[in-house]
């Protein structure tokens, strides 16, 4: 009995729906296709952007800088302090030109030991170059307190580590590289890069804090 009642009612509802059905369903189908098309386009866009990002991430590398201390003198011997350095610029995976130029400072315990000029050089994307830099000072040997600090580090770590700062003020690029000073074969040491906001970031002069 209940079933009959239910089916009777639903038949009525169905027949009343059927009259409007053609227009409604056409509009509905069109709207649904539009929504599906828009969603598909958005999905394609998102997938393309992600794929492009992944591709760039895998194929591009930021430029890599290194410093090699080829020869140095004047730290233990009574001759003028001098450091012959090689600045290595590896832009092989890069997408932009990379430029340096300005000055290089060799520091120990934040005290500048020698200063030199860094030639202007731009390394194109996908390129690499080595730049010779000579940092020197009129001074001979190192101040007593620094020499003691160096001797202490040498005893503790087996080597003395100096900081080489390459200040390219024009290009707002500051490199800070920590290199061992020893008599062993010269090898490249990696540099940390930073953006210079202001030239005073370059070197903290002895005593200025
Ligand atoms: C360091 O470089 C300068 C300039 O290129 C050169 O005259 C000098 O002989 C070099 N010093 C040593 C010890 O190789």
């Amino acid at each position: 009995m209940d079933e009959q009642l239910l089916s009777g009612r639903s038949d009525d509802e169905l027949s009343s729906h059927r009259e409007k059905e053609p227009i409604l369903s056409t509009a509905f189908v069109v709207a649904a296709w539009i929504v599906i098309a828009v969603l598909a386009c958005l999905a394609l866009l998102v997938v393309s952007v992600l794929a492009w990002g992944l591709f760039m991430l895998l194929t591009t590398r930021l430029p890599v800088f290194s410093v090699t201390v080829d020869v140095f003198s004047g730290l233990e011997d009574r001759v003028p302090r001098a450091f012959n350095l090689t600045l290595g610029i590896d832009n092989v995976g890069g997408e932009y030109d990379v430029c340096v130029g300005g000055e290089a400072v060799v520091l120990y315990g934040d005290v500048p030991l020698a200063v030199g000029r860094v030639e202007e050089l731009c390394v194109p994307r996908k390129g690499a170059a080595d730049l010779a830099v000579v940092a020197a000072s009129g001074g001979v040997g190192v101040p007593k307190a620094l020499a003691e600090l160096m001797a202490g580090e040498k005893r503790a770590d087996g080597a003395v580590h100096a900081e080489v700062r390459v200040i390219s003020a024009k290009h707002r690029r500051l490199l800070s590289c920590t290199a061992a000073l020893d008599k062993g074969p010269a090898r490249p040491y990696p540099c940390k890069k930073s953006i210079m906001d202001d030239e005073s970031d370059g070197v903290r002069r002895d005593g200025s804090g």
Side-chain angles (χ1 to χ4, degrees):
M1 293 276 267
D2 277 347
E3 281 172 35
Q4 265 188 340
L5 207 74
L6 277 173
S7 63
R9 206 159 51 192
S10 56
D11 272 357
D12 279 353
E13 279 172 10
L14 272 177
S15 60
S16 68
H17 268 247
R18 237 175 240 133
E19 289 161 23
K20 298 174 193 166
E21 203 179 312
I23 306 160
L24 261 182
S25 68
T26 309
F28 178 76
V29 166
V30 169
W33 275 111
I34 290 173
V35 169
I36 288 171
V38 167
L39 287 180
C41 286
L42 283 178
L44 198 67
L45 191 73
V46 168
V47 168
S48 318
V49 166
L50 286 179
W52 180 80
L54 191 67
F55 176 78
M56 294 305 276
L57 202 71
L58 292 178
T59 57
T60 66
R61 238 170 5 93
L62 293 172
V64 178
F65 298 89
S66 65
V67 153
T68 306
V69 181
D70 300 309
V71 260
F72 66 93
S73 59
L75 295 188
E76 289 170 344
D77 23 12
R78 304 298 298 173
V79 294
R81 291 197 296 271
F83 298 82
N84 284 19
L85 313 168
T86 302
L87 175 62
I89 305 163
D90 172 357
N91 195 21
V92 168
E95 282 301 310
Y96 306 99
D97 292 5
V98 167
C99 299
V100 292
E103 68 172 351
V105 187
V106 180
L107 304 100
Y108 188 77
D110 272 345
V111 179
L113 295 179
V115 184
R117 203 174 70 81
V118 178
E119 264 175 59
E120 285 290 327
L121 178 72
C122 286
V123 180
R125 57 196 278 268
K126 315 239 179 280
D130 281 342
L131 189 60
V133 176
V134 178
S137 93
V140 166
V142 293
K144 196 159 176 288
L146 269 193
E148 278 168 11
L149 215 61
M150 282 185 182
E153 194 194 348
K154 199 167 187 171
R155 272 197 303 274
D157 299 344
V160 171
H161 295 86
E163 182 193 351
V164 178
R165 257 180 234 173
V166 178
I167 304 144
S168 306
K170 201 173 111 187
H171 309 291
R172 299 183 56 233
R173 184 189 296 285
L174 176 67
L175 302 173
S176 170
C177 333
T178 303
L181 300 179
D182 51 32
K183 304 287 179 198
R187 68 176 191 86
Y189 290 90
C191 301
K192 277 187 292 189
K193 295 168 287 192
S194 50
I195 303 285
M196 271 174 73
D197 289 327
D198 160 359
E199 274 190 52
S200 65
D201 286 0
V203 190
R204 272 164 286 161
R205 295 279 172 210
D206 190 12
S208 70

